[in-house]
């Protein structure tokens, strides 16, 4: 039962797989706050420029209402429309461009430049009414609903609290110069906007950490899942064991094929056997063609006897050759003397036989 509970942190592979699917933790509130802050900064930094464009447009419209001018020509209307669109573009494009870039930057910072079409693929499970009902009353839906109510409540509270503090100032605008009144009103709006932005920054930070916590909770793994993933990455131990066994048998088969090429097999009666080759025209020193222990040693001896290769019993030399020399390698210099004695003995025996 403990293996089935998802209590373990997600592995790096799990995180990579989820990222490929487009499943990452993401806070929409963080993007909204970034857009809000950049939008407010752009608006107030370009306020003078925007006011100048608006003032020029109003003056143009008023100039067309001169006394004695009863109707406007079609050309005047076209020129007015072009001027109006141009003034609108100059006023709105900087704000729209800045907020769009802020939204894209905030999104890519969270997703780390992730671009995937996995989430756009149709999933028929989304059409399942039972699953939809479960999502409707899930913890995430409840949190999103509470979060929306909280944001609206905070917004209304800040606006009410701000207006309640400055409502008496509005009546004084009747006795104030228009430019001074507009400037003072803009300052009040700026203060209220900063209060709203500060509150939304706090809410966005809380939402960011909640989204991170919820994402980590969703991708948790059980101990069994971690074991299965380890098997997939490292390979099933049973399969790896079988592969190694097959490789070992193939290596032994190749080694046994070289035994008939040997000049002598040095053996310990039952535990060790080493097949040596020494050709004066090609070898600087005797070379180990095959070696084995226990069952493999017996097979080497049997193969040598079947192919007429001399077998010499020398317990210390067999052990030393087995321990100190790898396959297809020359024997170490410290064993030259002992092996030379064996080869000389064999050559002498061969000469007697030839005689």
């Amino acid at each position: 039962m403990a293996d089935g509970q998802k209590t373990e942190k997600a592995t790096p592979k799990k995180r990579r797989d989820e990222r490929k699917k487009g499943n990452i933790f993401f806070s929409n509130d963080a993007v909204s706050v970034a857009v809000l802050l950049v939008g407010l900064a752009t608006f107030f930094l370009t306020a003078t420029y925007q006011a100048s464009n608006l003032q020029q447009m109003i003056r143009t419209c008023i100039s067309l209402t001169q006394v004695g001018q009863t109707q406007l020509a079609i050309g005047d209307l076209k020129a007015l429309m072009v001027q109006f669109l141009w003034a609108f573009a100059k006023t709105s494009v900087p704000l729209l461009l800045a907020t769009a870039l802020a939204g894209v930057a905030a999104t890519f910072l969270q997703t780390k430049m992730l671009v995937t079409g996995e989430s756009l693929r149709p999933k028929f499970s989304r059409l399942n009414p039972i699953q939809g009902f479960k999502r409707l009353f899930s913890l995430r839906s409840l949190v999103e609903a509470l979060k929306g109510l909280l944001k609206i409540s905070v917004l209304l509270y800040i606006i009410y609290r701000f207006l309640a503090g400055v409502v008496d100032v509005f009546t004084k605008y009747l006795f104030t110069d228009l430019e001074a009144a507009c400037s003072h009103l803009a300052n009040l709006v700026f203060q209220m906007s900063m209060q709203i932005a500060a509150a939304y920054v706090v809410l966005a930070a809380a939402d960011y950490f909640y989204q991170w916590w919820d994402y980590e909770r969703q991708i948790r793994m059980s101990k069994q899942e971690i074991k299965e993933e380890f098997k997939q990455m490292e390979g099933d131990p049973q399969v790896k064991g079988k592969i190694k066994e097959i490789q070992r048998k193939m290596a032994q088969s190749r080694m046994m094929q070289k035994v008939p090429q040997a000049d002598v097999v040095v053996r310990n009666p039952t535990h060790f056997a080493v097949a040596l080759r020494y050709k004066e025209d090609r070898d600087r020193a005797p070379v180990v063609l095959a070696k084995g222990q226990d069952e493999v040693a017996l097979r080497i001896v049997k193969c040598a006897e079947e192919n007429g290769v001399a077998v010499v019993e020398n317990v210390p030399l067999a052990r030393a050759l087995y321990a100190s020399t790898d396959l297809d390698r020359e024997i170490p210099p410290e064993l030259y003397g002992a092996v030379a004695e064996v080869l000389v003995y064999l050559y002498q025996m061969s000469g007697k036989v030839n005689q």
Side-chain angles (χ1 to χ4, degrees), residues 1-11 14 218-229:
M1 293 296 292
D3 287 346
Q5 296 178 356
K6 298 188 176 184
T7 57
E8 307 300 317
K9 290 184 178 181
T11 61
K14 173 75 171 181
Q218 290 180 6
I219 65 173
R220 282 178 184 170
M221 303 174 66
S222 64
K223 293 182 179 179
Q224 183 62 32
E225 288 176 337
I226 293 178
K227 291 179 182 178
E228 293 297 330
E229 181 183 289

Side-chain angles (χ1 to χ4, degrees), residues 27 29 33 147 150-151 154 198-208:
S27 173
D29 284 4
V33 166
K147 188 171 62 176
L150 180 61
K151 287 191 289 187
V154 169
Y200 272 52
V201 166
V202 175
L203 293 176
D207 179 71
Y208 184 87

Side-chain angles (χ1 to χ4, degrees), residues 181-305:
C182 291
S183 176
H184 187 264
L185 181 61
N187 186 41
L188 293 178
V189 172
F190 175 76
Q191 294 178 17
M192 184 178 65
S193 301
M194 289 298 100
Q195 293 179 13
I196 294 174
Y200 272 52
V201 166
V202 175
L203 293 176
D207 179 71
Y208 184 87
F209 284 106
Y210 166 75
Q211 297 295 341
W212 172 81
W213 172 83
D214 188 56
Y215 175 76
E216 291 293 328
R217 180 181 63 84
Q218 290 180 6
I219 65 173
R220 282 178 184 170
M221 303 174 66
S222 64
K223 293 182 179 179
Q224 183 62 32
E225 288 176 337
I226 293 178
K227 291 179 182 178
E228 293 297 330
E229 181 183 289
F230 179 78
K231 287 182 180 180
Q232 292 177 1
M233 294 179 62
E234 300 295 330
D236 192 327
Q238 295 181 354
V239 176
K240 290 179 67 176
K242 290 181 180 180
I243 293 175
K244 289 183 178 180
E245 179 66 19
I246 293 173
Q247 292 175 343
R248 185 178 63 83
K249 289 182 178 180
M250 293 177 63
Q252 287 183 2
S253 177
R254 291 193 298 267
M255 182 181 69
M256 298 301 295
Q257 293 175 1
K258 296 180 180 179
V259 174
Q261 305 173 15
D263 295 309
V264 63
V265 172
V266 182
R267 65 175 295 188
N268 177 328
T270 57
H271 297 294
F272 299 96
V274 180
L276 298 175
R277 182 198 70 200
Y278 180 65
K279 305 297 182 184
E280 295 182 2
D281 57 341
R282 55 186 294 190
D283 299 326
R284 295 180 303 175
V287 177
V288 174
L289 296 183
K291 69 176 184 176
Q293 187 176 2
D294 298 330
E295 181 183 352
V296 178
L298 295 177
R299 291 176 56 194
I300 292 174
V301 172
K302 183 179 179 181
C303 182
E305 292 175 346

Side-chain angles (χ1 to χ4, degrees), residues 37-55:
L37 293 177
V38 172
L40 288 175
T42 305
F43 177 78
F44 286 107
L45 288 175
T46 61
T48 303
Y49 175 74
Q50 295 175 4
S52 176
N53 289 331
L54 182 61
Q55 182 182 31

